[in-house]
Amino acid sequence: MPKKARPAGDGKEQGPVPKQVKVEAACGPSSPLNFDSPSGLFESFISPIKTETFFKEFWEQKPLLIQRDDPALATYYQSLFRLSDLKSLCSWGIYYGRDVNVCRCVHGKKKVLNKDGRVHFLQLRQDFDQKRATIQFHQPQRFKDELWRIQEKLECYFGSLVGSNVYITPAGAQGLPPHYDDVEVFILQLEEKHWRLYQPTVPLAREYSVEAEDRIGRPTHEFTLKPGDLLYFPRGTIHQADTPEGLAHSTHVTISTYQSSSWGDFLLDTISGLVFDTAKADVALRAGIPRQLLLQAESTAVATRLSGFLRMLADRLEGTKELPSADMKKDFAMNRLPPYYMGDRAKLVAPGGQLPGLDSTVRLQFRDHVVLTVGPYQDPSDETRGEMVYVYHSLRNRRDTHMMGNEETESYGLRFPLSYMDALKQIWNSSAISVKDLKLTTDEEKQNLVLSLWTECLIQVV
């Protein structure tokens, strides 16, 4: 199951979820990024590198450094988060551990300087100035509209959760020791910083880990990032960064994605449903295991039997049209950002326009915020089990808890009989479709489907 980004907290008190804080500049710079579509955003995000080149030569393979001498882009990056924003955030209520870490790298180890409870700006600034501590702010997209705008589009593009952290480090200081992460990392440099990257000890790592200086050897890359520059490196890449002397401070935003999104994770997610379906049809999987199997130390014979079952599952998988998903699709829909929308959000999630009928033509809305999946369903009235089609969406998700792993989240969506799948695919794969042409047996079923989707704001009449 995909995890939300680690809050990396060491504070003892978490406190309530802060109210929505408005820390935007009254008139910020115009964006040099293209927000017309998720693919357009990513193309402008890594410009001048072409998307095809990026995924062929760099993605999950090696770091990419994009150094830009672009004053407009530098100004835009610097508007994403400023040290002064913390004053406004502190006044509204943020907490050590959950929202903020204060830390230093001392002799190759991370020293956490968090206090207890609520963060006060004067204390935070004192630790920053006098103790030369780095301020790490978790998930600023909860408060900064432009980061919400960027990350929402990136979640649509990658089909994976996208988190972020801000790191503000005073001159001549370093916040974190050499370490690697379990996420793909994009660094947006807001103010100058010195970086060193090292050969991975665990390529495409599945866990975060600190590495000792005497284990990592010489840097494979060493450079200074300046405002407007972008750095990408794959999960597992060992890295450390420090602020050169002579500067006021350095700030960068780390945007991360693809945590727990490997083929191994996907296989774990689908295999349970596949075994369940196959066991319904094949008595061999319903037969009991040998007596005292769980007490035995030797398992060679059992491994041979299991390999036979796995081959049988592989054969069944070849002819499967609908892959069951235990958690990944639902988890993504539940925990991602809602659509970027600066108006009244109540209007975004309220049904509007013409009510669909049999004579209507309809089209899907918010395609990038909706997932279809097949999953088990148990009827509480008679305890029978079967499969249903689930339609999950993120239109009503809460921005203020995004990627804050310990916060409660709720799923939004609909459930339909498996016989509705073909009609749902028609709606998903068409720019517009007549309700009469939906592949359902009765007119009542057709009306039920489109009215349900319309009520959730997932379709509109055209």
Side-chain angles (χ1 to χ4, degrees):
M1 176 176 176
K3 300 170 287 184
K4 282 160 279 186
R6 181 184 305 102
D10 292 276
K12 297 178 182 177
E13 297 184 28
Q14 296 299 305
V17 176
K19 299 176 183 177
Q20 188 62 46
V21 184
K22 206 68 176 174
V23 294
E24 303 302 316
C27 184
S30 61
S31 174
L33 301 179
N34 176 8
F35 289 95
D36 291 343
S37 66
S39 59
L41 183 278
F42 189 71
E43 287 169 8
S44 62
F45 190 69
I46 63 168
S47 176
I49 302 297
K50 299 298 183 185
T51 302
E52 181 180 355
T53 301
F54 175 78
F55 285 104
K56 183 178 180 180
E57 298 183 11
F58 298 98
W59 177 253
E60 295 190 329
Q61 299 171 65
K62 61 184 180 182
L64 170 65
L65 169 63
I66 303 177
Q67 293 181 302
R68 301 155 164 154
D69 184 14
D70 186 338
L73 188 60
T75 301
Y76 173 71
Y77 272 20
Q78 290 168 339
S79 74
L80 296 176
F81 200 97
R82 298 182 176 91
L83 180 59
S84 59
D85 290 335
L86 291 169
K87 189 172 184 179
S88 301
L89 290 165
C90 288
S91 69
W92 280 83
I94 57 175
Y95 288 79
Y96 286 104
R98 186 195 65 197
D99 301 301
V100 171
N101 266 351
V102 180
C103 56
R104 282 193 64 194
C105 177
V106 180
H107 304 305
K109 295 184 178 180
K110 178 182 176 180
K111 182 178 181 180
V112 178
L113 304 174
N114 287 355
K115 306 296 187 293
D116 291 336
R118 184 167 172 169
V119 180
H120 298 281
F121 181 72
L122 290 179
Q123 179 65 61
L124 190 66
R125 188 65 200 244
Q126 184 178 349
D127 289 340
F128 181 77
D129 292 332
Q130 297 181 9
K131 297 182 180 179
R132 297 184 11 177
T134 289
I135 299 169
Q136 179 187 15
F137 190 87
H138 305 307
Q139 310 305 336
Q141 72 279 4
R142 295 176 293 149
F143 308 106
K144 297 291 286 183
D145 290 342
E146 197 67 8
L147 284 171
W148 171 24
R149 190 182 182 198
I150 292 170
Q151 289 173 237
E152 182 258 329
K153 275 288 189 288
L154 290 176
E155 286 186 333
C156 294
Y157 184 75
F158 285 110
S160 180
L161 297 176
V162 175
S164 66
N165 283 318
V166 172
Y167 297 86
I168 309 175
T169 303
Q174 180 170 330
L176 301 176
H179 66 280
Y180 59 78
D181 297 297
D182 58 348
V183 286
E184 301 295 300
V185 172
F186 295 89
I187 302 293
L188 309 185
Q189 198 65 51
L190 280 58
E191 286 141 345
E192 188 173 321
K193 199 161 207 172
H194 173 240
W195 287 84
R196 285 169 285 175
L197 309 182
Y198 304 81
Q199 191 70 26
T201 53
V202 183
L204 300 182
R206 292 179 54 82
E207 297 176 338
Y208 167 93
S209 181
V210 173
E211 288 282 28
E213 290 270 8
D214 57 5
R215 285 197 59 204
I216 60 179
R218 296 176 60 83
T220 56
H221 304 76
E222 185 169 6
F223 44 80
T224 296
L225 287 183
K226 297 188 176 181
D229 291 346
L230 181 139
L231 170 65
Y232 158 79
F233 49 82
R235 53 197 188 276
T237 302
I238 302 168
H239 57 282
Q240 60 180 326
D242 60 274
T243 303
E245 293 283 4
L247 301 177
H249 60 269
S250 176
T251 306
H252 73 269
V253 177
T254 296
I255 291 181
S256 58
T257 190
Y258 259 61
Q259 186 180 51
S260 301
S261 296
S262 68
W263 277 113
D265 296 302
F266 190 70
L267 182 61
L268 286 171
D269 188 61
T270 57
I271 198 72
S272 59
L274 185 63
V275 171
F276 178 80
D277 291 345
T278 307
K280 287 193 298 184
D282 195 318
V283 70
L285 278 175
R286 302 200 301 272
I289 60 176
R291 286 182 301 104
Q292 298 187 341
L293 172 63
L294 303 182
L295 301 175
Q296 296 175 11
E298 183 63 44
S299 58
T300 304
V302 175
T304 301
R305 187 73 184 274
L306 286 177
S307 68
F309 284 136
L310 289 173
R311 281 190 287 271
M312 178 179 69
L313 291 172
D315 291 339
R316 181 180 177 89
L317 191 60
E318 292 287 341
T320 301
K321 289 176 61 179
E322 314 299 342
L323 280 176
S325 173
D327 291 303
M328 286 182 75
K329 285 190 172 184
K330 180 181 179 181
D331 186 84
F332 176 50
M334 283 176 60
N335 293 298
R336 63 181 298 191
L337 284 163
Y340 175 79
Y341 185 74
M342 294 312 297
D344 182 359
R345 286 203 70 239
K347 294 181 180 178
L348 180 71
V349 296
Q354 183 181 342
L355 195 71
L358 274 176
D359 296 323
S360 301
T361 298
V362 298
R363 69 179 177 196
L364 186 66
Q365 295 190 113
F366 304 105
R367 182 184 303 272
D368 294 325
H369 282 267
V370 189
V371 297
L372 283 177
T373 186
V374 175
Y377 173 71
Q378 182 166 324
D379 191 325
S381 61
D382 59 9
E383 297 187 352
T384 57
R385 287 176 62 91
E387 287 187 328
M388 303 283 281
V389 183
Y390 292 87
V391 180
Y392 295 112
H393 66 80
S394 55
L395 304 191
R396 296 186 180 92
N397 284 8
R398 291 174 58 187
R399 171 191 176 191
D400 61 341
T401 59
H402 183 243
M403 300 298 283
M404 301 300 290
N406 56 343
E407 304 290 352
E408 291 292 328
T409 53
E410 183 178 354
S411 62
Y412 300 98
L414 301 164
R415 183 179 67 238
F416 297 101
L418 200 57
S419 59
Y420 279 52
M421 177 58 93
D422 286 342
L424 285 163
K425 286 184 175 180
Q426 285 179 281
I427 296 172
W428 254 248
N429 297 328
S430 304
S431 57
I433 188 167
S434 169
V435 175
K436 287 182 178 179
D437 293 336
L438 293 175
K439 293 179 181 179
L440 288 167
T441 305
T442 67
D443 289 346
E444 183 181 1
E445 288 178 323
K446 296 174 184 180
Q447 285 190 301
N448 175 59
L449 174 60
V450 295
L451 282 172
S452 298
L453 294 172
W454 180 83
T455 301
E456 290 289 304
C457 304
L458 300 182
I459 62 170
Q460 64 178 173
V461 178
V462 295

